[in-house]
Amino acid sequence: MGFVLSWRWLCLMAPFVLSLLTCGESAMMSSDSSKGFDENYVVTWGGYHVVNLNGGSEVKLSMDQSSGAGFSSRYSYDSGFFHMKIKLPNKNSAGIVTAYYLSSTGNNHDEVDFEFLGNKEGKPITLQTNIYMNGQGGREQRLDLWFDPTADFHDYKFLWNPYHLVFWVDETPIRVLKNLTRQGAEFPSQPMKIVASLWNGDSWATDGGLTKTDWSQAPFTAQFQGFDVAGCVASTGSSCASPSHWWNGAQYQALKPNQSTAYENAKKNYITYDYCADRARYPTQPPECVLGE
């Protein structure tokens, strides 16, 4: 059986909601400042480049030529609505990758990624999303953000339930992968941990690897907040698909009309690359593209 680390207590304590959001959504849109980093997360590498701030409510990762850094959740999850507030490195961050993602383990792993690709100062930072299923990636989408992600914190979220996987930037859905396994497509199904890292990707991240990291700008820093987790911890049972978890409820099984409108707008105005449209790379489209990612 799975157990839940969530905001359900807030819903019980608050008999009314002062917005159009459900109680679950309202809880998800703001982080619980009482949840410190150490409660749900652990540093996994580059420990000397990790600093806890404000009593553990914020963590700063730094990177220089010696190392970057990363952390992950203590548990693996089978479903949930996961979020992290992130402020990206400023300065000339070309070659630097800030990543926030869910990942299982093993060669045939599942993984869903937010990867922020640094750029020269004054040029836009690209957000790349990617999905690995059964060890196979190559499902990149790239978009230009409509704000400066280095100026302040923004909330990046994954809704992962038996019906779909949705990537969110603040209140805007930017990518949706429907669960179409019955029609022959793949869908992430393995228990995954929450992971964040700051690392050197100058072999590919900026201008296809032509623009390298300027180490005179080091250390590069990324800041993270929002260490509460609304998710079902993976174990031996199948309860993580239960509609008793709010993120699996009827209101989360498809986008609402206003969310669909925002999603279509994001695709039309901000997407700069979509693997589904890259027929030179994929002469035969992947099943999820044909069926309607």
Short mmCIF file of all heavy atoms in Angstrom, two decimals, residues 127-157:
data_model
loop_
_atom_site.label_atom_id
_atom_site.label_comp_id
_atom_site.label_asym_id
_atom_site.label_seq_id
_atom_site.Cartn_x
_atom_site.Cartn_y
_atom_site.Cartn_z
N LEU A 127 13.87 26.51 -22.03
CA LEU A 127 13.37 25.41 -21.22
C LEU A 127 13.17 24.21 -22.13
O LEU A 127 12.40 24.27 -23.10
CB LEU A 127 12.05 25.78 -20.55
CG LEU A 127 11.29 24.63 -19.87
CD1 LEU A 127 12.16 23.93 -18.83
CD2 LEU A 127 10.00 25.13 -19.24
N GLN A 128 13.88 23.13 -21.83
CA GLN A 128 13.71 21.89 -22.57
C GLN A 128 13.01 20.88 -21.67
O GLN A 128 13.41 20.67 -20.52
CB GLN A 128 15.06 21.33 -23.02
CG GLN A 128 14.97 19.95 -23.67
CD GLN A 128 16.28 19.50 -24.28
OE1 GLN A 128 16.67 19.97 -25.34
NE2 GLN A 128 16.97 18.59 -23.61
N THR A 129 11.95 20.26 -22.18
CA THR A 129 11.34 19.13 -21.49
C THR A 129 11.64 17.86 -22.27
O THR A 129 11.83 17.89 -23.49
CB THR A 129 9.81 19.31 -21.35
OG1 THR A 129 9.21 19.36 -22.65
CG2 THR A 129 9.50 20.60 -20.58
N ASN A 130 11.69 16.76 -21.55
CA ASN A 130 11.97 15.48 -22.20
C ASN A 130 11.27 14.39 -21.40
O ASN A 130 11.00 14.56 -20.20
CB ASN A 130 13.48 15.23 -22.28
CG ASN A 130 13.85 14.17 -23.32
OD1 ASN A 130 12.99 13.60 -24.00
ND2 ASN A 130 15.14 13.91 -23.45
N ILE A 131 10.98 13.30 -22.06
CA ILE A 131 10.32 12.16 -21.42
C ILE A 131 11.05 10.89 -21.84
O ILE A 131 11.23 10.64 -23.04
CB ILE A 131 8.84 12.07 -21.82
CG1 ILE A 131 8.08 13.34 -21.42
CG2 ILE A 131 8.18 10.85 -21.17
CD1 ILE A 131 6.65 13.40 -21.94
N TYR A 132 11.49 10.12 -20.85
CA TYR A 132 12.06 8.79 -21.08
C TYR A 132 11.03 7.75 -20.63
O TYR A 132 10.45 7.86 -19.54
CB TYR A 132 13.32 8.58 -20.26
CG TYR A 132 14.54 9.32 -20.75
CD1 TYR A 132 14.67 10.69 -20.53
CD2 TYR A 132 15.57 8.66 -21.40
CE1 TYR A 132 15.79 11.38 -20.96
CE2 TYR A 132 16.71 9.34 -21.83
CZ TYR A 132 16.80 10.70 -21.61
OH TYR A 132 17.92 11.39 -22.03
N MET A 133 10.82 6.75 -21.48
CA MET A 133 9.96 5.64 -21.11
C MET A 133 10.65 4.34 -21.49
O MET A 133 11.11 4.18 -22.62
CB MET A 133 8.60 5.77 -21.79
CG MET A 133 7.80 6.98 -21.28
SD MET A 133 6.18 7.20 -22.03
CE MET A 133 6.62 7.91 -23.63
N ASN A 134 10.79 3.46 -20.50
CA ASN A 134 11.49 2.19 -20.70
C ASN A 134 12.89 2.41 -21.26
O ASN A 134 13.37 1.67 -22.12
CB ASN A 134 10.68 1.28 -21.63
CG ASN A 134 11.10 -0.17 -21.54
OD1 ASN A 134 11.56 -0.64 -20.49
ND2 ASN A 134 10.98 -0.89 -22.64
N GLY A 135 13.56 3.46 -20.75
CA GLY A 135 14.94 3.73 -21.11
C GLY A 135 15.14 4.52 -22.38
O GLY A 135 16.27 4.86 -22.73
N GLN A 136 14.06 4.85 -23.09
CA GLN A 136 14.18 5.56 -24.36
C GLN A 136 13.71 7.01 -24.19
O GLN A 136 12.56 7.26 -23.82
CB GLN A 136 13.33 4.87 -25.43
CG GLN A 136 13.79 3.46 -25.76
CD GLN A 136 15.20 3.42 -26.34
OE1 GLN A 136 15.53 4.22 -27.22
NE2 GLN A 136 16.02 2.48 -25.89
N GLY A 137 14.62 7.96 -24.49
CA GLY A 137 14.29 9.38 -24.45
C GLY A 137 14.05 9.90 -25.86
O GLY A 137 13.31 9.32 -26.64
N GLY A 138 14.69 11.03 -26.17
CA GLY A 138 14.54 11.60 -27.50
C GLY A 138 13.20 12.25 -27.75
O GLY A 138 12.81 12.45 -28.91
N ARG A 139 12.49 12.60 -26.68
CA ARG A 139 11.16 13.22 -26.82
C ARG A 139 11.23 14.69 -26.37
O ARG A 139 10.41 15.15 -25.59
CB ARG A 139 10.13 12.45 -26.01
CG ARG A 139 9.95 11.00 -26.47
CD ARG A 139 8.95 10.27 -25.57
NE ARG A 139 8.64 8.94 -26.06
CZ ARG A 139 9.30 7.83 -25.73
NH1 ARG A 139 10.35 7.92 -24.90
NH2 ARG A 139 8.95 6.66 -26.21
N GLU A 140 12.18 15.42 -26.90
CA GLU A 140 12.40 16.79 -26.45
C GLU A 140 11.39 17.76 -27.04
O GLU A 140 11.00 17.66 -28.20
CB GLU A 140 13.81 17.28 -26.85
CG GLU A 140 14.96 16.48 -26.27
CD GLU A 140 15.41 15.34 -27.17
OE1 GLU A 140 14.68 15.01 -28.15
OE2 GLU A 140 16.50 14.79 -26.93
N GLN A 141 10.99 18.69 -26.22
CA GLN A 141 10.34 19.91 -26.66
C GLN A 141 11.10 21.07 -26.05
O GLN A 141 11.59 20.96 -24.92
CB GLN A 141 8.86 19.97 -26.23
CG GLN A 141 7.97 18.98 -26.96
CD GLN A 141 6.51 19.12 -26.56
OE1 GLN A 141 6.15 19.94 -25.72
NE2 GLN A 141 5.65 18.30 -27.15
N ARG A 142 11.20 22.16 -26.79
CA ARG A 142 11.88 23.36 -26.27
C ARG A 142 10.95 24.56 -26.41
O ARG A 142 10.20 24.65 -27.40
CB ARG A 142 13.19 23.62 -27.02
CG ARG A 142 14.27 22.57 -26.76
CD ARG A 142 15.60 22.95 -27.40
NE ARG A 142 16.65 22.00 -27.07
CZ ARG A 142 17.94 22.17 -27.31
NH1 ARG A 142 18.35 23.29 -27.91
NH2 ARG A 142 18.82 21.26 -26.97
N LEU A 143 11.02 25.44 -25.44
CA LEU A 143 10.22 26.66 -25.53
C LEU A 143 10.97 27.82 -24.90
O LEU A 143 11.83 27.63 -24.03
CB LEU A 143 8.86 26.48 -24.87
CG LEU A 143 8.75 26.51 -23.36
CD1 LEU A 143 7.31 26.85 -22.95
CD2 LEU A 143 9.13 25.17 -22.75
N ASP A 144 10.61 29.01 -25.37
CA ASP A 144 11.11 30.25 -24.79
C ASP A 144 10.15 30.69 -23.69
O ASP A 144 8.94 30.78 -23.93
CB ASP A 144 11.21 31.35 -25.85
CG ASP A 144 12.28 31.07 -26.89
OD1 ASP A 144 13.27 30.39 -26.54
OD2 ASP A 144 12.13 31.52 -28.03
N LEU A 145 10.66 30.92 -22.52
CA LEU A 145 9.82 31.38 -21.42
C LEU A 145 9.39 32.82 -21.64
O LEU A 145 10.09 33.61 -22.28
CB LEU A 145 10.57 31.24 -20.10
CG LEU A 145 10.87 29.79 -19.67
CD1 LEU A 145 11.84 29.75 -18.51
CD2 LEU A 145 9.58 29.06 -19.32
N TRP A 146 8.24 33.18 -21.13
CA TRP A 146 7.66 34.52 -21.31
C TRP A 146 8.00 35.45 -20.15
O TRP A 146 7.38 36.49 -19.98
CB TRP A 146 6.15 34.40 -21.47
CG TRP A 146 5.48 33.58 -20.40
CD1 TRP A 146 4.92 34.04 -19.23
CD2 TRP A 146 5.32 32.17 -20.40
NE1 TRP A 146 4.42 32.99 -18.50
CE2 TRP A 146 4.64 31.82 -19.20
CE3 TRP A 146 5.66 31.15 -21.30
CZ2 TRP A 146 4.31 30.50 -18.88
CZ3 TRP A 146 5.34 29.85 -20.96
CH2 TRP A 146 4.68 29.53 -19.78
N PHE A 147 9.04 35.10 -19.39
CA PHE A 147 9.52 35.90 -18.27
C PHE A 147 11.00 35.61 -18.08
O PHE A 147 11.54 34.67 -18.70
CB PHE A 147 8.74 35.58 -16.98
CG PHE A 147 8.74 34.10 -16.65
CD1 PHE A 147 9.77 33.52 -15.93
CD2 PHE A 147 7.69 33.28 -17.05
CE1 PHE A 147 9.79 32.17 -15.64
CE2 PHE A 147 7.69 31.92 -16.76
CZ PHE A 147 8.74 31.37 -16.05
N ASP A 148 11.65 36.38 -17.25
CA ASP A 148 13.06 36.17 -16.94
C ASP A 148 13.15 35.22 -15.74
O ASP A 148 12.87 35.62 -14.61
CB ASP A 148 13.73 37.50 -16.61
CG ASP A 148 15.20 37.35 -16.27
OD1 ASP A 148 15.71 36.21 -16.29
OD2 ASP A 148 15.84 38.38 -15.94
N PRO A 149 13.55 33.97 -15.95
CA PRO A 149 13.57 33.00 -14.85
C PRO A 149 14.73 33.19 -13.87
O PRO A 149 14.81 32.46 -12.88
CB PRO A 149 13.68 31.66 -15.57
CG PRO A 149 14.43 31.98 -16.82
CD PRO A 149 13.96 33.35 -17.23
N THR A 150 15.61 34.16 -14.18
CA THR A 150 16.71 34.44 -13.25
C THR A 150 16.36 35.55 -12.27
O THR A 150 17.08 35.77 -11.30
CB THR A 150 17.98 34.86 -14.02
OG1 THR A 150 17.82 36.19 -14.54
CG2 THR A 150 18.27 33.91 -15.17
N ALA A 151 15.25 36.26 -12.51
CA ALA A 151 14.92 37.43 -11.71
C ALA A 151 14.18 37.09 -10.43
O ALA A 151 14.25 37.83 -9.45
CB ALA A 151 14.09 38.41 -12.54
N ASP A 152 13.45 35.97 -10.44
CA ASP A 152 12.64 35.61 -9.28
C ASP A 152 12.33 34.12 -9.34
O ASP A 152 12.62 33.45 -10.34
CB ASP A 152 11.36 36.44 -9.26
CG ASP A 152 10.76 36.55 -7.85
OD1 ASP A 152 11.25 35.86 -6.93
OD2 ASP A 152 9.81 37.33 -7.69
N PHE A 153 11.70 33.61 -8.29
CA PHE A 153 11.28 32.22 -8.25
C PHE A 153 10.02 32.03 -9.09
O PHE A 153 9.11 32.87 -9.08
CB PHE A 153 10.98 31.79 -6.81
CG PHE A 153 12.21 31.62 -5.96
CD1 PHE A 153 12.70 32.68 -5.22
CD2 PHE A 153 12.87 30.41 -5.90
CE1 PHE A 153 13.83 32.54 -4.44
CE2 PHE A 153 14.00 30.24 -5.12
CZ PHE A 153 14.49 31.30 -4.38
N HIS A 154 9.97 30.90 -9.80
CA HIS A 154 8.76 30.46 -10.49
C HIS A 154 8.52 28.99 -10.17
O HIS A 154 9.45 28.25 -9.84
CB HIS A 154 8.89 30.68 -12.00
CG HIS A 154 8.85 32.12 -12.38
ND1 HIS A 154 7.69 32.79 -12.70
CD2 HIS A 154 9.85 33.04 -12.46
CE1 HIS A 154 7.96 34.05 -12.98
NE2 HIS A 154 9.27 34.23 -12.84
N ASP A 155 7.25 28.59 -10.26
CA ASP A 155 6.83 27.26 -9.82
C ASP A 155 6.73 26.33 -11.03
O ASP A 155 5.97 26.60 -11.96
CB ASP A 155 5.47 27.37 -9.12
CG ASP A 155 5.31 26.36 -7.99
OD1 ASP A 155 6.28 25.63 -7.71
OD2 ASP A 155 4.22 26.32 -7.39
N TYR A 156 7.51 25.25 -10.99
CA TYR A 156 7.53 24.26 -12.06
C TYR A 156 6.95 22.96 -11.50
O TYR A 156 7.39 22.49 -10.46
CB TYR A 156 8.96 24.08 -12.58
CG TYR A 156 9.56 25.40 -13.02
CD1 TYR A 156 10.37 26.14 -12.16
CD2 TYR A 156 9.29 25.93 -14.27
CE1 TYR A 156 10.91 27.37 -12.54
CE2 TYR A 156 9.82 27.15 -14.68
CZ TYR A 156 10.63 27.86 -13.81
OH TYR A 156 11.14 29.08 -14.18
N LYS A 157 5.98 22.38 -12.23
CA LYS A 157 5.18 21.31 -11.65
C LYS A 157 4.96 20.16 -12.62
O LYS A 157 4.89 20.37 -13.84
CB LYS A 157 3.81 21.87 -11.22
CG LYS A 157 3.90 22.92 -10.13
CD LYS A 157 2.56 23.60 -9.85
CE LYS A 157 2.32 24.75 -10.80
NZ LYS A 157 1.24 25.66 -10.34
#
